[in-house]
Amino acid sequence: MFALASRPIKVLIVDDQALIRAGFGMILEAQEDITVVGEAEDGDAAYQLCMRSAPDVVLMDVHMPNGVDGITATRRITSEHPGVRVVAISTFDLDEYVMEALRAGASGFVSKEISPEELVRAVRVAHEGESVVAPRLLTRLIEAFVRSPLPRHRPRLAGVTDREQDVLVLIARGYSNAEISAALKVTRSTVKNHVTSLFAKTGVRDRAQAVILAYEVGLVKPGD
């Protein structure tokens, strides 16, 4: 269950299909804690609307053939507006464009086949700063598209402790904080502290990017 936000969660919907924008908008506007502050049909319009409406969450289609694409827009928005959470929208679950969106800074992804309840939950989860991807589905994505880990010198892990690396490995394997707590025999608050420190040291925004990092630096490999 989610506690309602102190103010409505502001959402921007970006998709080149007007029907998708309208459908998502109707679902979200029916929630008392969510308001749609704008719609855009390409990445450039999305960026401009972000400047004006300051959304909390952007639902970003990654397949927009005209104008600025969703991946480029995601990278620009997350780099210039770090407080904005971008959730990629894709027609397919296993899609290389989704991986590129996650690399660009998206906090997760949803399928266009998502149910109304799942869409609402995705917005709320993103707003709370969590990754909008089922951990094991994210692992499937990584295994499908990450094939060439970076060299093992792991430059992005400078300063990361051995225990924080243990936590990163378990995140990459799809463990929740509660499961990490049980596996490492530490309290959940300790796990949360390790995760916060790990993110700060590596510069990742959320668990989605942490999983990608773990694969890229070779801590885990497809098939582990």
Side-chain angles (χ1 to χ4, degrees):
M1 296 294 291
F2 288 87
L4 296 183
S6 57
R7 62 171 178 79
I9 302 169
K10 297 188 293 182
V11 178
L12 172 63
I13 302 172
V14 187
D15 196 291
D16 61 348
Q17 299 180 50
L19 188 60
I20 294 292
R21 298 197 304 270
F24 279 13
M26 289 178 62
I27 293 168
L28 296 176
E29 281 288 357
Q31 308 302 311
E32 61 179 293
D33 62 328
I34 298 174
T35 184
V36 176
V37 295
E39 297 179 8
E41 62 181 10
D42 63 48
D44 184 60
Y47 175 77
Q48 298 301 326
L49 278 173
C50 274
M51 297 287 289
R52 298 198 298 269
S53 59
D56 300 304
V57 178
V58 177
L59 297 176
M60 179 75 73
D61 183 15
V62 296
H63 297 281
M64 292 185 292
N66 300 317
V68 176
D69 64 84
I71 295 169
T72 300
T74 295
R75 185 176 295 108
R76 189 175 183 188
I77 289 170
T78 57
S79 63
E80 297 185 23
H81 305 278
V84 177
R85 311 292 292 186
V86 176
V87 178
I89 306 171
S90 175
T91 304
F92 308 102
D93 279 347
L94 293 177
D95 188 327
E96 61 184 318
Y97 288 97
V98 171
M99 283 304 308
E100 290 304 313
L102 293 174
R103 293 178 190 275
S107 299
F109 79 95
V110 296
S111 167
K112 289 187 180 180
E113 303 300 320
I114 194 171
S115 70
E117 296 77 15
E118 290 171 331
L119 176 64
V120 172
R121 183 180 186 279
V123 168
R124 290 172 178 158
V125 168
H127 182 249
E128 290 190 353
E130 297 296 330
S131 174
V132 189
V133 185
R136 287 165 181 80
L137 181 56
L138 180 59
T139 300
R140 284 173 54 204
L141 277 166
I142 301 290
E143 291 184 350
F145 296 110
V146 176
R147 289 289 181 260
S148 301
L150 295 178
R152 296 300 195 272
H153 62 278
R154 301 171 187 169
R156 293 184 61 186
L157 295 185
V160 174
T161 67
D162 290 343
R163 181 42 59 96
E164 288 166 352
Q165 288 194 34
D166 293 339
V167 170
L168 179 58
V169 168
L170 294 178
I171 289 175
R173 290 177 176 165
Y175 283 47
S176 66
N177 279 5
E179 291 169 331
I180 294 173
S181 171
L184 298 182
K185 296 180 173 57
V186 296
T187 65
R188 293 189 187 186
S189 61
T190 298
V191 172
K192 185 176 181 180
N193 289 338
H194 284 318
V195 171
T196 300
S197 176
L198 173 67
F199 286 10
K201 291 177 180 178
T202 60
V204 302
R205 287 166 54 93
D206 49 41
R207 297 176 89 89
Q209 291 193 338
V211 174
I212 293 173
L213 173 63
Y215 276 85
E216 288 185 330
V217 300
L219 279 179
V220 290
K221 297 178 292 184
D224 280 353

